Amino acid sequence: MLFRNRFVLLLALAALLAFVSLSLQFFHLIPVSAAKNGVTSKNRKRIMPDPVTEPPVMDPVYEALLYCNIPRVAERSMEGHAPHHFKLVSVHVFIRHGDRYPLYVIPKTKRPEIDCTLVANRKPYHPKLEAFVSHMSRGSGASFESPLHSLPLYPSHQLCEMGELTQTGVVQHLQNGQLLRDIYLKKHRLLPHDWSTKQLHLETTGKSRTLQSGLALLYGFLPDFDWKKIYFRHQPSALFCSGNCYCPLRNQYLEKEQRRQYLLRLKNRQLERTYEEMARIVDAPTKQLRAANPIDAMLCLFCHNVSFPCTRNGCVNMEHFKVIKRHQIEDERERQEKKLYLGYALLGAHPILNQTVGRMRRAAEGRKEELFALSSAHDVTLAPILSALGLTEARFPRFAARLIFELWQDREKPGEHSVRILYDGVDVTFHTSFCQDHHRRSPKPMCPLENFVRFVKRDMFVALGSGSTNYYDACHREGS
């Protein structure tokens, strides 16, 4: 009897805790009226890292798992959250392509046997996967800017080609697209049912993995879209700099940053010993192994739960992986501290941010074009943008990372527009350099559009310390 009473008591306690937890989540997700405009600073979800869930010390395996971004059943995100009197005007999405086959192989080892066909009986899976393949097979006549029309619309090789998008990568972006559909279309009705080509702005680099990632997200966002309404523009540069790619000073900053990376590697004796040991195992010169960037192939094997290669001299193992991954993380940390990368980032990100500002301003004026913009890109696209925005705590872009700019209108003051910025579902608006202090002066959970415009048009050049007032002058001044 005593045991039964204790059991009943435990059940009741568990039910109470579940109710309290659900209530807290509910009230966290729905704006309350504690502040004048519906959201207090305590409601804002902060940027990673999260001290509650993360290891107390840096763990390279944990960081690698985050980088893999294996699709989950559900993802918590903060996109589309605003007080009830705010109207969503436009959304601008930057993504990194999804999981891919490596760009390099470890010298003198067999290529990883990873299947890039899309099949329903393999994990990870998405309910729209078969429909996606079927729809892509009907898109051969799609109108894309050259040379995109020559690229395959979905991955299909039984043995992946170098850099090819995998099924994991497709599923990652089908999930991203479905998440954004639930928020921006079903909840906020960003696009009308009879949306037109002009209301979308779609662009990608000339790699199949970025085009296919963009199409996967778009299919999750607009299932069974009309191919006649879809037009992807080609961006020749990974910086999406359009006609403003020539920038000598940006290249000088990059050379300094690469020099910093080289010096840091020279100081890491454990890393060099690891390369030497791996080179002995695969019977290749250490210089050749290092030049092959082995972490790229090792991350692919790790993300797909495939064993590291073995030879008669031994096996590449998890300890080798940890040493190289730990150095990668330390390199990212020093990059933020030394700030050599910041100059490159400011000049590298300016063209794409300037284009985004232009679209936002046109939308704020009431024009109904380019309400949803999607740029399907690379880690080397997103990383400079994150640094330029001042998001120093943000992790290096994982597979299928998404960076989103939302433009909102205050219905109570229709002339006022605000911006929210989200990185992988986390609201990072008040971690940006141009809006860090705004929430201390205003209870609104957003940043004035004017702050973002001023940052792109003026403050990015001020941060360079050059005295320049425009992109051309900043790019062509003598470097210090």
Side-chain angles (χ1 to χ4, degrees), residues 389-408:
L389 293 175
L391 299 174
T392 56
E393 297 178 29
R395 282 186 167 90
F396 189 78
R398 64 188 187 181
F399 284 131
R402 64 183 189 273
L403 176 65
I404 297 181
F405 294 71
E406 298 174 347
L407 178 66
W408 296 82

Side-chain angles (χ1 to χ4, degrees), residues 6-29:
R6 287 181 176 176
F7 181 74
V8 172
L9 181 62
L10 286 172
L11 279 178
L13 181 60
L16 177 62
L17 288 173
F19 175 78
V20 171
S21 174
L22 183 63
S23 300
L24 288 173
Q25 291 181 40
F26 178 81
F27 286 113
H28 175 74
L29 293 176

Side-chain angles (χ1 to χ4, degrees), residues 257 260 331-339 341:
E257 166 61 16
R260 179 203 62 76
D331 178 71
E332 292 170 21
R333 183 181 299 134
E334 186 185 85
R335 183 183 71 187
Q336 298 293 350
E337 292 173 356
K338 292 289 183 71
K339 297 188 181 302
Y341 184 77

Side-chain angles (χ1 to χ4, degrees), residues 5 64 106 108 142 166 183 216 246 266 282 305 368 417:
N5 290 341
I106 298 174
K108 297 188 176 182
T166 66
I183 296 168
Y246 182 64
L266 287 183
V282 301
N305 198 26
K368 300 299 182 182
H417 290 80

